[in-house]
Amino acid sequence: MIVFEAIAAFFIVLGAFFMFVGSLALAIMPDMMRRLHGPTKASTLGLGAILFGSMVYSFGVRGEPSVHEFLIIVFVFITAPVSGMMIAKAFILTNHAVRPTLTATGTATGWATLDPGAPTSDRLPPAIKAD
Amino acid sequence: MIGVACIIAFSLATISLVLTGYRLVVGPDPLDRVLALDTLVINAIGLIAAMGVWFATSMYFEMSLLFAVFGFLSTVAFCKYILRGNVIE
């Protein structure tokens, strides 16, 4: 009992610390990409640790196993990289000051854009390509 | 022990909410505000989860799940709007 409670308390404090670090990075970092870097990792890890601690607590101390937290962990771990990628793509495409500073892509189109002449069309099956 | 951990989690989550709110108000770019809103939702989910441990109830998890769903949807919708000027084309 006391072991489960100690594990739960440790994970809750760890998760709160990581969440705080992510928000601190969001508040004090100088530009957008560095601001994006903090919360997308630290907040996900912090939220995962808090929810894991809550799962351990309800399983070990209250004696009623709960899978709701696992549902939230899975959902957040799937959606956080997607929203991070969306924000980074919108930032690259809307901010014209950063685009010359990026490495060349080797094609005519820039970063985070669909290349119409990309080899994707070669990989399509012939029936689709004929259309 | 779990009470002290919950109080620490409440304090850190509240400070995180304040820092995120600072970026939400100050942020020079609209995308900074979108990112701050996303992080605000994540911090709110963490605070709600810690409240569920503190009150020893499993009633708050539906609320956390709804927060997660609407946070993700609003982030994607805002990004699409900033990128394309339209949400659903």
Side-chain angles (χ1 to χ4, degrees):
Chain A
M1 279 303 167
I2 193 75
V3 177
F4 282 120
E5 193 174 337
I7 293 173
F10 171 72
F11 272 105
I12 287 174
V13 171
L14 185 78
F17 172 72
F18 275 118
M19 222 161 68
F20 170 69
V21 169
S23 298
L24 189 68
L26 176 71
I28 66 174
M29 282 294 177
D31 64 358
M32 175 74 202
M33 276 301 181
R34 275 177 271 188
R35 266 178 229 143
L36 182 62
H37 179 253
T40 47
K41 292 177 183 63
S43 293
T44 319
L45 183 61
L47 191 61
I50 286 183
L51 289 170
F52 184 73
S54 168
M55 208 152 64
V56 167
Y57 184 73
S58 67
F59 170 72
V61 179
R62 284 166 50 207
E64 38 191 46
S66 161
V67 290
H68 295 85
E69 293 96 336
F70 188 69
L71 206 64
I72 304 171
I73 289 176
V74 168
F75 186 81
V76 168
F77 273 35
I78 289 173
T79 56
V82 177
S83 53
M85 286 293 288
M86 290 288 290
I87 293 174
K89 176 176 172 165
F91 175 70
I92 286 177
L93 289 179
T94 53
N95 197 329
H96 297 287
V98 241
R99 298 189 73 168
T101 66
L102 299 171
T103 319
T105 55
T107 55
T109 53
W111 284 101
T113 337
L114 182 65
D115 189 3
T120 335
S121 56
D122 297 334
R123 286 201 297 269
L124 291 178
I128 298 179
K129 202 196 281 182
D131 293 336
Chain B
M1 190 191 305
I2 198 81
V4 178
C6 280
I7 289 174
I8 293 173
F10 290 157
S11 320
L12 287 178
T14 310
I15 298 171
S16 306
L17 287 172
V18 171
L19 289 172
T20 320
Y22 164 76
R23 182 53 68 194
L24 185 66
V25 172
V26 168
D29 206 56
L31 278 165
D32 282 320
R33 295 195 166 96
V34 174
L35 177 62
L37 203 63
D38 192 44
T39 317
L40 195 75
V41 169
I42 295 279
N43 290 335
I45 296 169
L47 186 60
I48 292 169
M51 273 173 68
V53 175
W54 173 263
F55 290 116
T57 174
S58 62
M59 206 171 62
Y60 289 121
F61 294 122
E62 285 82 6
M63 198 159 80
S64 310
L65 202 58
L66 279 175
F67 260 81
V69 172
F70 280 103
F72 172 66
L73 275 182
S74 63
T75 306
V76 171
F78 276 133
C79 283
K80 285 297 277 186
Y81 181 71
I82 290 173
L83 204 56
R84 305 284 297 175
N86 205 350
V87 177
I88 300 173
E89 304 179 53

